[in-house]
Amino acid sequence: MFKNFGKDLLKAFNTGVSYFIPVVVVGGVFYAFSLLGATADSTSGMVATNPFMLNLQAIGNSGLKVMIPVLAAYIAYSFGGKPALAPGFVLGYLANNMADSGITSTGFLGAMFLGVAVGYWVKWMKTWKVSKTIHTIMPILVMPILTTFVFGLLYIYILALPLGMFMNWLTVILGNLQGGSAAVLGIVIGLMTAFDMGGPVNKAASTFTMALMTTTPALYIPNGAFRVAVAIPPLACGIASFIARNKYDDADRQIGISAIFMGLIGITEGAIPFAVKDLPHTLPGIMIGSAVGACLAMVQGVECYVPHGGMIVAFATNNIGLYTLDMAIGTFVAVFILIIMKPNLKKNSDPKIAERAAA
């Protein structure tokens, strides 16, 4: 079953991305347009007030909430077929959207792990010797329910619990750095921001910077560094896809348009499609770029007064010029590293993946 694990894993990730891309585009574009004319709020970030824009934002939020479950579901589907779809959707949602219920989010990394685990589990269940009566209900009842039960509980009790403890530890570490070097704190914030692109490590940095905004006196510089950093991964991936045309295909450039939109409004998740397709050649560049941007913002004392990021909140900072410049420098560094590290496209790459993504 694991004979061709490497090839099967790559195929599964490509399958997940191909179905995941349209959802990212829809969610990101609608959310971006909903913030046109939005006002800055010190507690809620950018707030849309026009009723029509609020409706667009609801549509965009829906897309952003289901994109990770779609990724997990179709990774699982690549291994296990249709019986793996329902567990993939449910567990992907569990991994990404249940923080309000006290379940630690693991973002796209957790969803990818669950997708692979579910896919192989269902593939194994298909080898079970059962009676004809049981066999007819296996794909629609037994496999989905048993798979969701097993991996749902494994996630909650084995993966999410220690991860929550790890996040608390990270928050303590950041607190200890607060009184030390501004440059070191900025670098750590930037690395954490880009590491999992909206996942638990990113959220730990966000929680830390927002907590400092409520202290007396309020500290806004760490939040400024974080808000610079969140925009860099999607901006860098999108720009790199248009510059290095021998390293990114047409499907990548279509994602790149959405990624740039999402970067401008501070949604780090816009870089996830690029990371899923090629994590080893994507993660170093965006982490270094975000670290550079956040470090510069910390050293220069750039403050951001709202819990939102990207260029859309530039007017809610104490220095629009430095805020923009730091983001641009971090993005340039990330783009440079991405282009250097990314290998050229293979001539025999599967055209069906790009066709499905563009369809």
Side-chain angles (χ1 to χ4, degrees), residues 159-197:
L159 186 59
L161 185 62
L163 187 60
M165 297 171 64
F166 175 68
M167 288 175 62
N168 291 333
W169 175 78
L170 283 178
T171 304
V172 172
I173 293 296
L174 287 173
N176 292 334
L177 287 174
Q178 181 190 334
S181 169
V184 173
L185 179 57
I187 291 171
V188 173
I189 288 174
L191 293 174
M192 291 176 63
T193 302
F195 174 71
D196 54 1
M197 290 155 273

mmCIF file of all heavy atoms in Angstrom, residues 159-197:
data_model
loop_
_atom_site.group_PDB
_atom_site.id
_atom_site.type_symbol
_atom_site.label_atom_id
_atom_site.label_comp_id
_atom_site.label_asym_id
_atom_site.label_seq_id
_atom_site.Cartn_x
_atom_site.Cartn_y
_atom_site.Cartn_z
ATOM 1 N N LEU A 159 -3.371 15.190 18.696
ATOM 2 C CA LEU A 159 -2.688 16.230 17.934
ATOM 3 C C LEU A 159 -2.990 17.633 18.447
ATOM 4 O O LEU A 159 -2.090 18.429 18.685
ATOM 5 C CB LEU A 159 -3.064 16.122 16.446
ATOM 6 C CG LEU A 159 -2.332 17.055 15.483
ATOM 7 C CD1 LEU A 159 -0.824 16.823 15.560
ATOM 8 C CD2 LEU A 159 -2.817 16.840 14.060
ATOM 9 N N ALA A 160 -4.261 17.950 18.653
ATOM 10 C CA ALA A 160 -4.652 19.321 19.006
ATOM 11 C C ALA A 160 -4.226 19.701 20.420
ATOM 12 O O ALA A 160 -3.805 20.838 20.657
ATOM 13 C CB ALA A 160 -6.159 19.490 18.850
ATOM 14 N N LEU A 161 -4.329 18.774 21.363
ATOM 15 C CA LEU A 161 -4.007 19.097 22.760
ATOM 16 C C LEU A 161 -2.543 19.495 22.947
ATOM 17 O O LEU A 161 -2.257 20.572 23.493
ATOM 18 C CB LEU A 161 -4.371 17.917 23.662
ATOM 19 C CG LEU A 161 -4.194 18.143 25.164
ATOM 20 C CD1 LEU A 161 -5.100 19.271 25.631
ATOM 21 C CD2 LEU A 161 -4.500 16.859 25.941
ATOM 22 N N PRO A 162 -1.571 18.682 22.501
ATOM 23 C CA PRO A 162 -0.175 19.110 22.653
ATOM 24 C C PRO A 162 0.148 20.347 21.829
ATOM 25 O O PRO A 162 1.009 21.142 22.208
ATOM 26 C CB PRO A 162 0.635 17.900 22.173
ATOM 27 C CG PRO A 162 -0.303 17.088 21.369
ATOM 28 C CD PRO A 162 -1.654 17.319 21.959
ATOM 29 N N LEU A 163 -0.558 20.523 20.711
ATOM 30 C CA LEU A 163 -0.322 21.708 19.895
ATOM 31 C C LEU A 163 -0.761 22.966 20.626
ATOM 32 O O LEU A 163 -0.107 24.008 20.549
ATOM 33 C CB LEU A 163 -1.071 21.582 18.563
ATOM 34 C CG LEU A 163 -0.794 22.681 17.537
ATOM 35 C CD1 LEU A 163 0.683 22.713 17.166
ATOM 36 C CD2 LEU A 163 -1.630 22.482 16.299
ATOM 37 N N GLY A 164 -1.873 22.868 21.372
ATOM 38 C CA GLY A 164 -2.316 24.000 22.173
ATOM 39 C C GLY A 164 -1.281 24.372 23.228
ATOM 40 O O GLY A 164 -1.029 25.552 23.477
ATOM 41 N N MET A 165 -0.665 23.361 23.836
ATOM 42 C CA MET A 165 0.390 23.610 24.820
ATOM 43 C C MET A 165 1.603 24.257 24.150
ATOM 44 O O MET A 165 2.235 25.163 24.718
ATOM 45 C CB MET A 165 0.791 22.292 25.475
ATOM 46 C CG MET A 165 -0.328 21.631 26.272
ATOM 47 S SD MET A 165 0.074 19.948 26.836
ATOM 48 C CE MET A 165 1.446 20.297 27.925
ATOM 49 N N PHE A 166 1.903 23.808 22.926
ATOM 50 C CA PHE A 166 3.023 24.382 22.183
ATOM 51 C C PHE A 166 2.760 25.847 21.861
ATOM 52 O O PHE A 166 3.665 26.691 21.958
ATOM 53 C CB PHE A 166 3.224 23.587 20.892
ATOM 54 C CG PHE A 166 4.278 24.142 19.974
ATOM 55 C CD1 PHE A 166 5.620 24.126 20.329
ATOM 56 C CD2 PHE A 166 3.924 24.682 18.745
ATOM 57 C CE1 PHE A 166 6.595 24.647 19.476
ATOM 58 C CE2 PHE A 166 4.882 25.195 17.887
ATOM 59 C CZ PHE A 166 6.220 25.183 18.252
ATOM 60 N N MET A 167 1.523 26.182 21.496
ATOM 61 C CA MET A 167 1.177 27.572 21.200
ATOM 62 C C MET A 167 1.332 28.453 22.429
ATOM 63 O O MET A 167 1.819 29.587 22.344
ATOM 64 C CB MET A 167 -0.253 27.645 20.665
ATOM 65 C CG MET A 167 -0.419 27.110 19.254
ATOM 66 S SD MET A 167 -2.148 27.083 18.741
ATOM 67 C CE MET A 167 -2.569 28.823 18.820
ATOM 68 N N ASN A 168 0.904 27.941 23.587
ATOM 69 C CA ASN A 168 1.059 28.712 24.822
ATOM 70 C C ASN A 168 2.537 28.953 25.124
ATOM 71 O O ASN A 168 2.927 30.036 25.580
ATOM 72 C CB ASN A 168 0.397 27.972 25.985
ATOM 73 C CG ASN A 168 -1.108 27.933 25.860
ATOM 74 O OD1 ASN A 168 -1.709 28.807 25.244
ATOM 75 N ND2 ASN A 168 -1.735 26.911 26.446
ATOM 76 N N TRP A 169 3.361 27.927 24.859
ATOM 77 C CA TRP A 169 4.809 28.063 25.071
ATOM 78 C C TRP A 169 5.382 29.130 24.150
ATOM 79 O O TRP A 169 6.224 29.939 24.560
ATOM 80 C CB TRP A 169 5.477 26.719 24.828
ATOM 81 C CG TRP A 169 6.977 26.744 24.906
ATOM 82 C CD1 TRP A 169 7.742 26.773 26.021
ATOM 83 C CD2 TRP A 169 7.894 26.759 23.800
ATOM 84 N NE1 TRP A 169 9.081 26.795 25.690
ATOM 85 C CE2 TRP A 169 9.202 26.786 24.336
ATOM 86 C CE3 TRP A 169 7.727 26.730 22.416
ATOM 87 C CZ2 TRP A 169 10.333 26.808 23.528
ATOM 88 C CZ3 TRP A 169 8.850 26.746 21.603
ATOM 89 C CH2 TRP A 169 10.142 26.788 22.157
ATOM 90 N N LEU A 170 4.942 29.142 22.893
ATOM 91 C CA LEU A 170 5.415 30.155 21.948
ATOM 92 C C LEU A 170 5.050 31.561 22.421
ATOM 93 O O LEU A 170 5.845 32.491 22.291
ATOM 94 C CB LEU A 170 4.813 29.909 20.556
ATOM 95 C CG LEU A 170 5.414 28.799 19.710
ATOM 96 C CD1 LEU A 170 4.649 28.669 18.396
ATOM 97 C CD2 LEU A 170 6.884 29.067 19.427
ATOM 98 N N THR A 171 3.836 31.699 22.954
ATOM 99 C CA THR A 171 3.406 33.013 23.438
ATOM 100 C C THR A 171 4.292 33.484 24.593
ATOM 101 O O THR A 171 4.643 34.666 24.676
ATOM 102 C CB THR A 171 1.937 32.950 23.897
ATOM 103 O OG1 THR A 171 1.129 32.460 22.822
ATOM 104 C CG2 THR A 171 1.439 34.332 24.296
ATOM 105 N N VAL A 172 4.663 32.562 25.476
ATOM 106 C CA VAL A 172 5.564 32.893 26.586
ATOM 107 C C VAL A 172 6.926 33.319 26.052
ATOM 108 O O VAL A 172 7.529 34.291 26.533
ATOM 109 C CB VAL A 172 5.705 31.692 27.547
ATOM 110 C CG1 VAL A 172 6.783 31.958 28.584
ATOM 111 C CG2 VAL A 172 4.375 31.410 28.235
ATOM 112 N N ILE A 173 7.436 32.591 25.063
ATOM 113 C CA ILE A 173 8.731 32.921 24.460
ATOM 114 C C ILE A 173 8.703 34.321 23.885
ATOM 115 O O ILE A 173 9.632 35.130 24.067
ATOM 116 C CB ILE A 173 9.102 31.902 23.360
ATOM 117 C CG1 ILE A 173 9.357 30.520 23.983
ATOM 118 C CG2 ILE A 173 10.328 32.362 22.581
ATOM 119 C CD1 ILE A 173 10.524 30.460 24.918
ATOM 120 N N LEU A 174 7.622 34.651 23.168
ATOM 121 C CA LEU A 174 7.497 35.991 22.589
ATOM 122 C C LEU A 174 7.445 37.049 23.686
ATOM 123 O O LEU A 174 8.017 38.133 23.543
ATOM 124 C CB LEU A 174 6.237 36.075 21.726
ATOM 125 C CG LEU A 174 6.285 35.339 20.385
ATOM 126 C CD1 LEU A 174 4.920 35.366 19.716
ATOM 127 C CD2 LEU A 174 7.324 35.972 19.462
ATOM 128 N N GLY A 175 6.759 36.742 24.769
ATOM 129 C CA GLY A 175 6.695 37.683 25.879
ATOM 130 C C GLY A 175 8.062 37.949 26.485
ATOM 131 O O GLY A 175 8.382 39.080 26.860
ATOM 132 N N ASN A 176 8.890 36.920 26.565
ATOM 133 C CA ASN A 176 10.238 37.088 27.099
ATOM 134 C C ASN A 176 11.123 37.907 26.173
ATOM 135 O O ASN A 176 12.047 38.593 26.623
ATOM 136 C CB ASN A 176 10.883 35.715 27.341
ATOM 137 C CG ASN A 176 10.206 34.949 28.469
ATOM 138 O OD1 ASN A 176 9.609 35.551 29.364
ATOM 139 N ND2 ASN A 176 10.277 33.628 28.415
ATOM 140 N N LEU A 177 10.837 37.829 24.860
ATOM 141 C CA LEU A 177 11.626 38.598 23.898
ATOM 142 C C LEU A 177 11.235 40.069 23.872
ATOM 143 O O LEU A 177 11.995 40.910 23.401
ATOM 144 C CB LEU A 177 11.435 38.023 22.487
ATOM 145 C CG LEU A 177 12.114 36.691 22.165
ATOM 146 C CD1 LEU A 177 11.693 36.213 20.778
ATOM 147 C CD2 LEU A 177 13.635 36.830 22.227
ATOM 148 N N GLN A 178 10.050 40.363 24.379
ATOM 149 C CA GLN A 178 9.521 41.716 24.270
ATOM 150 C C GLN A 178 10.466 42.779 24.828
ATOM 151 O O GLN A 178 10.629 43.838 24.253
ATOM 152 C CB GLN A 178 8.179 41.789 24.993
ATOM 153 C CG GLN A 178 7.519 43.153 24.927
ATOM 154 C CD GLN A 178 6.321 43.210 25.861
ATOM 155 O OE1 GLN A 178 5.701 42.196 26.169
ATOM 156 N NE2 GLN A 178 6.005 44.396 26.335
ATOM 157 N N GLY A 179 11.102 42.479 25.935
ATOM 158 C CA GLY A 179 11.951 43.481 26.545
ATOM 159 C C GLY A 179 13.365 43.489 26.002
ATOM 160 O O GLY A 179 14.184 44.284 26.411
ATOM 161 N N GLY A 180 13.672 42.588 25.091
ATOM 162 C CA GLY A 180 15.019 42.498 24.539
ATOM 163 C C GLY A 180 15.142 43.232 23.228
ATOM 164 O O GLY A 180 14.556 44.296 23.036
ATOM 165 N N SER A 181 15.902 42.635 22.323
ATOM 166 C CA SER A 181 16.170 43.275 21.045
ATOM 167 C C SER A 181 14.916 43.352 20.185
ATOM 168 O O SER A 181 14.238 42.342 19.965
ATOM 169 C CB SER A 181 17.264 42.503 20.301
ATOM 170 O OG SER A 181 17.379 42.946 18.981
ATOM 171 N N ALA A 182 14.629 44.537 19.668
ATOM 172 C CA ALA A 182 13.484 44.713 18.777
ATOM 173 C C ALA A 182 13.683 43.918 17.499
ATOM 174 O O ALA A 182 12.738 43.343 16.951
ATOM 175 C CB ALA A 182 13.293 46.194 18.464
ATOM 176 N N ALA A 183 14.922 43.862 17.021
ATOM 177 C CA ALA A 183 15.215 43.145 15.775
ATOM 178 C C ALA A 183 14.935 41.653 15.927
ATOM 179 O O ALA A 183 14.336 41.026 15.050
ATOM 180 C CB ALA A 183 16.666 43.366 15.361
ATOM 181 N N VAL A 184 15.351 41.084 17.066
ATOM 182 C CA VAL A 184 15.133 39.648 17.295
ATOM 183 C C VAL A 184 13.639 39.344 17.374
ATOM 184 O O VAL A 184 13.152 38.372 16.780
ATOM 185 C CB VAL A 184 15.834 39.187 18.587
ATOM 186 C CG1 VAL A 184 15.462 37.744 18.909
ATOM 187 C CG2 VAL A 184 17.344 39.329 18.451
ATOM 188 N N LEU A 185 12.896 40.172 18.097
ATOM 189 C CA LEU A 185 11.457 39.968 18.211
ATOM 190 C C LEU A 185 10.800 40.064 16.836
ATOM 191 O O LEU A 185 9.921 39.266 16.499
ATOM 192 C CB LEU A 185 10.845 40.992 19.159
ATOM 193 C CG LEU A 185 9.321 40.898 19.359
ATOM 194 C CD1 LEU A 185 8.926 39.512 19.855
ATOM 195 C CD2 LEU A 185 8.842 41.977 20.331
ATOM 196 N N GLY A 186 11.226 41.037 16.042
ATOM 197 C CA GLY A 186 10.670 41.189 14.693
ATOM 198 C C GLY A 186 10.935 39.967 13.832
ATOM 199 O O GLY A 186 10.058 39.497 13.104
ATOM 200 N N ILE A 187 12.156 39.440 13.908
ATOM 201 C CA ILE A 187 12.510 38.250 13.120
ATOM 202 C C ILE A 187 11.649 37.061 13.531
ATOM 203 O O ILE A 187 11.114 36.339 12.678
ATOM 204 C CB ILE A 187 14.010 37.918 13.276
ATOM 205 C CG1 ILE A 187 14.863 38.988 12.580
ATOM 206 C CG2 ILE A 187 14.321 36.537 12.714
ATOM 207 C CD1 ILE A 187 16.338 38.875 12.867
ATOM 208 N N VAL A 188 11.488 36.865 14.844
ATOM 209 C CA VAL A 188 10.687 35.741 15.331
ATOM 210 C C VAL A 188 9.233 35.883 14.893
ATOM 211 O O VAL A 188 8.599 34.916 14.446
ATOM 212 C CB VAL A 188 10.786 35.626 16.864
ATOM 213 C CG1 VAL A 188 9.821 34.562 17.380
ATOM 214 C CG2 VAL A 188 12.211 35.295 17.275
ATOM 215 N N ILE A 189 8.684 37.088 15.012
ATOM 216 C CA ILE A 189 7.304 37.326 14.580
ATOM 217 C C ILE A 189 7.153 37.028 13.093
ATOM 218 O O ILE A 189 6.189 36.381 12.658
ATOM 219 C CB ILE A 189 6.873 38.772 14.888
ATOM 220 C CG1 ILE A 189 6.671 38.961 16.392
ATOM 221 C CG2 ILE A 189 5.588 39.139 14.141
ATOM 222 C CD1 ILE A 189 6.377 40.395 16.811
ATOM 223 N N GLY A 190 8.113 37.482 12.282
ATOM 224 C CA GLY A 190 8.045 37.253 10.841
ATOM 225 C C GLY A 190 8.121 35.783 10.475
ATOM 226 O O GLY A 190 7.365 35.293 9.625
ATOM 227 N N LEU A 191 9.024 35.046 11.126
ATOM 228 C CA LEU A 191 9.168 33.610 10.848
ATOM 229 C C LEU A 191 7.901 32.857 11.230
ATOM 230 O O LEU A 191 7.441 31.971 10.496
ATOM 231 C CB LEU A 191 10.370 33.048 11.604
ATOM 232 C CG LEU A 191 11.759 33.544 11.161
ATOM 233 C CD1 LEU A 191 12.827 33.007 12.112
ATOM 234 C CD2 LEU A 191 12.063 33.106 9.729
ATOM 235 N N MET A 192 7.328 33.198 12.385
ATOM 236 C CA MET A 192 6.114 32.528 12.833
ATOM 237 C C MET A 192 4.938 32.846 11.922
ATOM 238 O O MET A 192 4.091 31.971 11.646
ATOM 239 C CB MET A 192 5.793 32.944 14.271
ATOM 240 C CG MET A 192 6.758 32.421 15.310
ATOM 241 S SD MET A 192 6.396 33.042 16.980
ATOM 242 C CE MET A 192 4.766 32.354 17.273
ATOM 243 N N THR A 193 4.883 34.063 11.448
ATOM 244 C CA THR A 193 3.770 34.485 10.599
ATOM 245 C C THR A 193 3.704 33.672 9.316
ATOM 246 O O THR A 193 2.628 33.248 8.876
ATOM 247 C CB THR A 193 3.903 35.978 10.262
ATOM 248 O OG1 THR A 193 3.933 36.728 11.476
ATOM 249 C CG2 THR A 193 2.760 36.457 9.388
ATOM 250 N N ALA A 194 4.861 33.463 8.693
ATOM 251 C CA ALA A 194 4.894 32.795 7.395
ATOM 252 C C ALA A 194 4.983 31.287 7.497
ATOM 253 O O ALA A 194 4.724 30.585 6.511
ATOM 254 C CB ALA A 194 6.083 33.311 6.574
ATOM 255 N N PHE A 195 5.324 30.762 8.669
ATOM 256 C CA PHE A 195 5.592 29.324 8.789
ATOM 257 C C PHE A 195 4.408 28.471 8.357
ATOM 258 O O PHE A 195 4.542 27.520 7.589
ATOM 259 C CB PHE A 195 5.991 28.977 10.219
ATOM 260 C CG PHE A 195 6.146 27.506 10.456
ATOM 261 C CD1 PHE A 195 7.215 26.809 9.917
ATOM 262 C CD2 PHE A 195 5.197 26.804 11.195
ATOM 263 C CE1 PHE A 195 7.350 25.440 10.115
ATOM 264 C CE2 PHE A 195 5.323 25.440 11.399
ATOM 265 C CZ PHE A 195 6.403 24.764 10.856
ATOM 266 N N ASP A 196 3.216 28.781 8.886
ATOM 267 C CA ASP A 196 2.059 27.956 8.524
ATOM 268 C C ASP A 196 0.913 28.772 7.943
ATOM 269 O O ASP A 196 -0.204 28.288 7.809
ATOM 270 C CB ASP A 196 1.571 27.128 9.713
ATOM 271 C CG ASP A 196 1.294 27.977 10.944
ATOM 272 O OD1 ASP A 196 1.466 29.204 10.868
ATOM 273 O OD2 ASP A 196 0.911 27.399 11.975
ATOM 274 N N MET A 197 1.185 30.043 7.593
ATOM 275 C CA MET A 197 0.259 30.859 6.800
ATOM 276 C C MET A 197 -1.179 30.834 7.306
ATOM 277 O O MET A 197 -2.099 30.417 6.612
ATOM 278 C CB MET A 197 0.304 30.412 5.331
ATOM 279 C CG MET A 197 1.603 30.768 4.650
ATOM 280 S SD MET A 197 1.994 29.696 3.241
ATOM 281 C CE MET A 197 2.845 28.347 4.058
#
